């Protein structure tokens, strides 16, 4: 399964894994891929620094990367209080009513709420970059396309390549013009923020449009699909959803048992693409929470980052409730293959074995 991308990043197999869990990211790096830690859940730069220090000590000297959320254009975002005042009362009332109808209990008074509210803000993302570059990271990826030019320059000055997600070929071309080193071609099937073009169409379009390595993302959860991605011209794969159903994920998000139960029970048709999570189109697991937002009396989702600020407390309550029918979780259509919880190393081994089987089967057709 080795490609030139492996030599460039110092990894054994061209499997790049995005995850909010440092335990998953470290396990993936130890298994020969590149674990990429999502930073958006960190409101506090000091906390991110502590977690990356843990990564330094638990990856066995293997490389890892980080993922930030930073628009190329610097927004006028104001303070957190200013942003909160921009959320309409009607939206707040709707969220409160839905939580009551879904029997989601309030959080205990002494609950330390999950981070991630401020992580969507541009200024906080910049602090994430500053912290990450003080660690031996091998990649910075941006979930919202090209980072600002000065951030790309800052990364390159430290010898750290930059990756950016693209849902269209023109987006990929613009990323490369901006100085991005790797393009993640993310198809419609993917979880989280995603465009409208399917991976089978998108990957070769982007491969033909740019002269940098392309990672295929969206709908990849087996060795056969890795082989297909490489056959389409990708240099490797970018996977996110598959790591949600791993034992290591619970080491970071220990109260996520209900979420994993919901994912394991879901089929590939049990997702929905909606703006209710962050304000931008994102694919989520279909639950009673997403159905409530699809009702005729639901308000239109707010733009980023207001929507995230609106629902962040609700997500904390939903997460704590541990009800599989209500969970709010980004996940791709590959969820239909996530039918059991297992270690990260087992997922990687199965991907490699499936890849080899696919090549062997193709070889027999010649």
């Amino acid at each position: 399964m080795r490609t030139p991308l492996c030599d460039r990043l110092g990894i054994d197999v061209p499997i790049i894994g995005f995850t909010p869990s440092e335990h998953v990211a470290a396990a993936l790096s130890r298994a020969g891929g590149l674990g990429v830690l999502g930073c958006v859940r960190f409101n506090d730069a000091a906390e991110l620094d502590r977690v990356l220090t843990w990564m330094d000590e638990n990856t066995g000297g293997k490389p890892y990367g980080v993922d930030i959320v930073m628009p190329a254009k610097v927004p006028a975002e104001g303070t957190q209080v200013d942003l909160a005042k921009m959320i309409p009362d009607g939206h707040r009332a709707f969220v409160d009513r839905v939580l009551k109808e879904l029997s989601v209990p309030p959080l205990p008074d002494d609950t330390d709420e999950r981070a991630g509210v401020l992580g969507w803000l541009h200024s906080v993302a910049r602090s994430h970059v500053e912290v990450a570059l003080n660690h031996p990271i091998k990649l910075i990826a941006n979930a919202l396309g090209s980072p600002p030019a000065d951030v790309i320059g800052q990364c390159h000055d430290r010898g750290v390549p930059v990756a950016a997600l693209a849902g269209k070929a023109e987006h990929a071309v613009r990323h490369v013009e901006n100085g991005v080193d790797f393009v993640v071609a993310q198809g419609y099937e993917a979880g989280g923020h995603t465009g409208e073009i399917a991976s089978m169409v998108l990957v070769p379009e982007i491969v033909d449009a740019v002269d940098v390595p392309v990672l295929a993302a969206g709908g990849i959860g087996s060795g056969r699909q890795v082989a297909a991605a490489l056959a389409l011209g990708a240099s490797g794969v970018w996977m996110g959803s598959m790591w949600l159903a791993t034992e290591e994920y619970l080491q970071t998000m220990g109260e996520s048992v209900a979420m994993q139960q919901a994912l394991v029970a879901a089929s590939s048709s049990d997702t929905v693409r909606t703006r209710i999570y962050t304000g931008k189109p994102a694919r989520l697991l279909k639950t009673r929470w997403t159905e409530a937002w699809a009702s005729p009396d639901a308000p239109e989702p707010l733009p980023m980052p207001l929507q995230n600020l609106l629902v962040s407390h609700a997500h904390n309550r939903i997460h704590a409730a541990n009800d599989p029918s209500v969970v709010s979780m980004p996940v791709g259509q590959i969820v239909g293959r996530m039918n059991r919880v297992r270690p990260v190393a087992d997922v990687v081994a199965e991907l490699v074995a499936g890849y080899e089987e696919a090549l062997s089967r193709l070889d027999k057709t010649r």
Side-chain angles (χ1 to χ4, degrees), residues 17-22 24-26 28 35-39 239-240 243-244 249:
F18 163 79
T19 174
S21 164
E22 63 269 24
V24 171
L28 178 55
V36 176
L37 179 67
C39 296
M239 299 170 59
W243 316 114
L244 297 172
Y249 189 83

Side-chain angles (χ1 to χ4, degrees), residues 210-224:
V210 300
D211 58 357
V212 301
V214 174
L215 304 173
I220 299 172
S222 71
R224 286 174 289 172

Side-chain angles (χ1 to χ4, degrees), residues 19 21 23-31 242-249 251 341-351:
T19 174
S21 164
H23 292 91
V24 171
L28 178 55
S29 290
R30 292 195 303 268
M242 289 296 293
W243 316 114
L244 297 172
T246 60
E247 294 176 2
E248 289 85 352
Y249 189 83
Q251 291 180 258
V341 177
R342 50 194 169 143
V344 167
D346 287 3
V347 177
V348 174
E350 185 175 281
L351 290 169

Side-chain angles (χ1 to χ4, degrees), residues 218-261:
I220 299 172
S222 71
R224 286 174 289 172
Q225 288 158 327
V226 175
L230 299 187
L232 293 173
S235 298
V237 296
W238 175 280
M239 299 170 59
S241 297
M242 289 296 293
W243 316 114
L244 297 172
T246 60
E247 294 176 2
E248 289 85 352
Y249 189 83
L250 284 182
Q251 291 180 258
T252 303
M253 313 292 186
E255 68 277 29
S256 298
V257 174
M259 181 271 290
Q260 288 192 333
Q261 290 174 342

Side-chain angles (χ1 to χ4, degrees), residues 97-167:
R97 175 170 63 82
V98 169
L99 291 174
K100 184 176 181 180
E101 291 174 350
L102 297 180
S103 300
V104 178
L107 293 171
D109 292 337
D110 60 348
T111 300
D112 183 14
E113 295 205 38
R114 295 166 67 201
V117 179
L118 298 181
W120 295 98
L121 302 185
H122 187 90
S123 57
V124 177
R126 280 185 173 271
S127 73
H128 291 163
V129 174
E130 296 285 348
V131 168
L133 289 176
N134 287 323
H135 292 266
I137 59 170
K138 298 302 181 183
L139 181 72
I140 281 187
N142 187 27
L144 293 181
S146 302
D150 68 296
V151 172
I152 295 176
Q154 185 181 6
C155 295
H156 287 170
D157 289 344
R158 295 290 193 82
V160 177
V162 177
L165 275 67

